[in-house]
Amino acid sequence: MGQLSTTAFLISSALKVLGVFTIWLLAVAGVTLAERKVAAWIQDRSGPNRVGPWGTFQPLADGLKNFVKEENLPAGASRWLFYLAPVISMFPAFVVFAVIPFAAPLATPWGGVNMVIADLPIGFLFIVALGSLGVYGLVLGGWASNSKYPFLGGVRASAQMISYEVALGLSLVPILMLSGNVSLPGIVHQQQQSLWFVLPLLVGLLFFTISYFAETNRLPFDMPEAESELVYGFHTEYSAMKFAMFMMAEYSNLIIASALIVTFFFGGWDIPFWTGDDLRYAADGSIAGGQSAWWITLLTGLAYALKVGFFVFLYIWVRWTVPRFRYDQVMALGWKILIPLLVVYIIVLGAVMLLLEGAGITFGTRYLLWLTALNLILMLGIMFWLDRSRIIVGTGWRQMRPQQAKPRG
Amino acid sequence: MAIGVKKVERPEAGSSYLRATLKGMGLTFRHLATPITVSQQYPEEKWELAPRMRGTHRMAVHEDGRAKCVACGLCPTVCPANCIKLVPAEDENGERYAAVYEIDEFRCIFCGYCQEVCPVEAIHLGVHYEAAEYSRERFVYDLERLCEQDHPFTQLWDPEDPASE
């Protein structure tokens, strides 16, 4: 067993791309159904239940409908950008998963196969870079429609994305500090060896989740869409398959957000309390850490799907719980709360890590437990001190009200 | 400041957004977990209609299948929406019958006056509401179609309590 030959590598890569893409499309379709079902259940309705058993084939019906609907081009719209925008927003949403490891590496007679489509050494940067490309689709779609509300949606999208891009980037820094690694399989491996990073980086998880809610335009932050304010935001003028592409991008981003949370904080494809899956793919094609088997790969893949599914559910759940923020609250939360807090968090975390290393505790379970204690304290602080009308209620505006409310002379 | 604006003082202690969100998520999860009891699966389950529900028309027929209508002309006269078209005719025995009897269900306001005024209890409203059609023309019911309807007649009053007391 060794490295794959070039032909075997190409074939295995093609198979992985094909398999992942197929599952991905099915998952996106499934999430659209899950969204409608969970929304319905939360609102004490039954949801779509006409197409197939319990409405299982509803996404197929939706797809068919979108294919036969009329393609709409608004008068005065910029034709090329109008057609290009859904593609631009869909492309990054489908490509990012290429760097995320989804199962334990598998030893085959032709050599070890790493269960990630592209094991980029800079997987981290790839995600951040492509993630921020998605906003172009929204902005261009809003602008090219030559219509007022889509334009406002596009403007909001760009403002919000730029604000939360910073917070997102900053909330990734603690992971980098802890793992000292930008390769996603490497990060997963470190979590397998010690603790899942959800414990030592609890506060980071909170901020990461919030920023990704904003990045994916999910409900508490769905400023670019804002049905009740902007009709349907940037894709008001879109119909048929172009509209469906925007929706697919949105749900694809939702899965990516969940996949990233799982990879960074919940051990990726790791099955907890079991060391049999602590396999690691090395560059020379060998697999270290244990005996590889097809059922281990399958089990870890299923564990990964389960974890991602839970976070997809969490996103949907939050969407149907929390009402939309006001626009100024979104901006204030991003710039005035998240970014300063993250900077403080990074400094505190760094200081504690330095202290620990100075005290001779090296990276390992004990080191991470110390960080866990720190994070629990910070989390309690956030929940019981900082969050009392200081974060969202008026987001700092409340203190300014009395001056604004002076009677006009 | 605008007139009459009331400032609500919110309690500081109760305004933790994160904890409030978690609480709200608990509430929504309880709703998610409760089985759905109030939805009605419409085409399979249907409303139990009241016997006095006023729906699309139906003409009563004699045992030999002829409409009971004697073409007296009272119903088109009383109809407030002017939706009944009646052309009377006389057969060889000298009995009047309706040569043309059409009701435009789109114009009808389902007041039930036609049923009330009919001296021979021929035209009735029916306990029926699923009247969808593929064309507007199909909503003008002719005599044949009115006779074919088989839903129950609307009761204009409760026979045990005619004065609604």
Side-chain angles (χ1 to χ4, degrees), chain A residues 197-217:
Chain A
F197 285 172
V198 56
L199 290 174
L201 293 177
L202 192 60
V203 179
L205 170 68
L206 176 73
F207 288 143
F208 183 77
T209 316
I210 293 174
S211 336
Y212 233 107
F213 266 112
E215 279 290 297
T216 48
N217 304 320

Side-chain angles (χ1 to χ4, degrees), chain A residues 338-363:
Chain A
L338 280 188
I339 293 174
L341 276 186
L342 273 164
V343 171
V344 171
Y345 179 57
I346 290 167
I347 291 172
V348 170
L349 196 71
V352 171
M353 283 164 84
L354 265 183
L355 274 178
L356 284 176
E357 270 153 33
I361 304 170
T362 48
F363 187 86

Side-chain angles (χ1 to χ4, degrees), chain A residues 38 41-42 44-46 49-50 313-314 317-318 320-322 325 382-384 387-389 392-393 398, chain B residues 1 7 9-10 12-13 15-19 21-22 24-25 28-29 31-32 34 36 39 41 43-44:
Chain A
V38 171
W41 289 333
I42 283 180
D44 290 338
R45 298 182 284 115
S46 354
N49 61 356
R50 292 287 134 192
F313 170 71
L314 184 84
W317 183 10
V318 169
W320 296 104
T321 301
V322 188
F325 289 136
I382 287 174
M383 285 183 85
F384 290 93
D387 194 20
R388 292 195 173 186
S389 80
I392 285 297
V393 177
R398 201 156 161 259
Chain B
M1 198 172 183
K7 275 198 71 174
E9 284 302 325
R10 292 190 178 85
E12 287 270 317
S15 55
S16 162
Y17 188 81
L18 276 180
R19 279 181 295 147
T21 303
L22 292 178
M25 283 169 74
T28 46
F29 191 82
H31 278 270
L32 179 86
T34 15
I36 296 140
S39 295
Q41 298 300 325
E44 290 92 26

Side-chain angles (χ1 to χ4, degrees), chain A residues 8 14 18 20 26 28 43 75 84 93-94 113 120 132 164 219 224-225 350:
Chain A
L18 207 66
V20 166
L26 285 176
V28 169
Q43 296 164 358
L84 197 63
F94 275 71
V113 177
L120 290 188
S132 53
Y164 281 86
L219 199 70
E225 270 181 48

